Amino acid sequence: MKQIAQDLNLKATADSAFCKIFPKLCNWFGKYTLSGKFRGKEVEIYTIKFPNIKQFPLRLVVKSNLGLSQPFRIVARKRPFLIGFHKIFNRGIYFTNNPILDSRLLFSTNRQDLLNLILQYDEVQDQLYGIWKTRKCDGTLFVNNNSIIYHEPFRLITKTTRERIKNVANLICDITDIIRLSRKFITQDNIR
């Protein structure tokens, strides 16, 4: 976690007094909260436990607040093995015109125009490739009017995890910029 803090120039705060005794162990297991400005946006990185589970697995969370008034929802996650069930039971499934993205990710949204606007940028597509370049990444990206949140299960913070989190932080900043610059698209009439 401290390496991620250095990479992104964020402030690391220990979650417990245990971290003062065993700082290296706490660093590996993500027992720090990172916060601060990254590319001009407030970003927070922390770990949470699954509800009703005491120890493992944990979730590594990257979050930035949007604070817009009009509600919308965009979700990107790893493409599931049985995509047919999602097509039947989830009405918000969205397929892009990009075969590489469609083979790796499943998008769901209630604002296709906003998702199209976000995906038209090559930088965003490159960062999506970078985050989900392997099938092992089980991360999920949620974008709504209140915040942008990415979370993934993890056990130890490795070099691969650090690189992915840097890509996620850049992706979150780019999506924030796109949405804030396109406020004219976020109107109540366009909500489906």
Short mmCIF file of all heavy atoms in Angstrom, two decimals, residues 16 116 146:
data_model
loop_
_atom_site.label_atom_id
_atom_site.label_comp_id
_atom_site.label_asym_id
_atom_site.label_seq_id
_atom_site.Cartn_x
_atom_site.Cartn_y
_atom_site.Cartn_z
N SER A 16 -4.95 0.77 12.00
CA SER A 16 -4.96 0.32 13.39
C SER A 16 -3.58 0.52 14.02
O SER A 16 -2.59 0.76 13.33
CB SER A 16 -5.36 -1.16 13.46
OG SER A 16 -4.35 -1.96 12.89
N ASN A 116 -21.42 5.49 -24.33
CA ASN A 116 -20.81 5.69 -25.64
C ASN A 116 -19.85 6.87 -25.62
O ASN A 116 -18.78 6.81 -26.21
CB ASN A 116 -21.88 5.94 -26.70
CG ASN A 116 -22.56 4.67 -27.13
OD1 ASN A 116 -22.00 3.60 -27.06
ND2 ASN A 116 -23.80 4.80 -27.58
N ASN A 146 -23.16 9.73 -7.76
CA ASN A 146 -22.47 10.07 -6.52
C ASN A 146 -20.98 9.80 -6.57
O ASN A 146 -20.19 10.58 -6.04
CB ASN A 146 -23.06 9.30 -5.34
CG ASN A 146 -24.47 9.72 -5.04
OD1 ASN A 146 -24.82 10.88 -5.18
ND2 ASN A 146 -25.31 8.77 -4.68
#
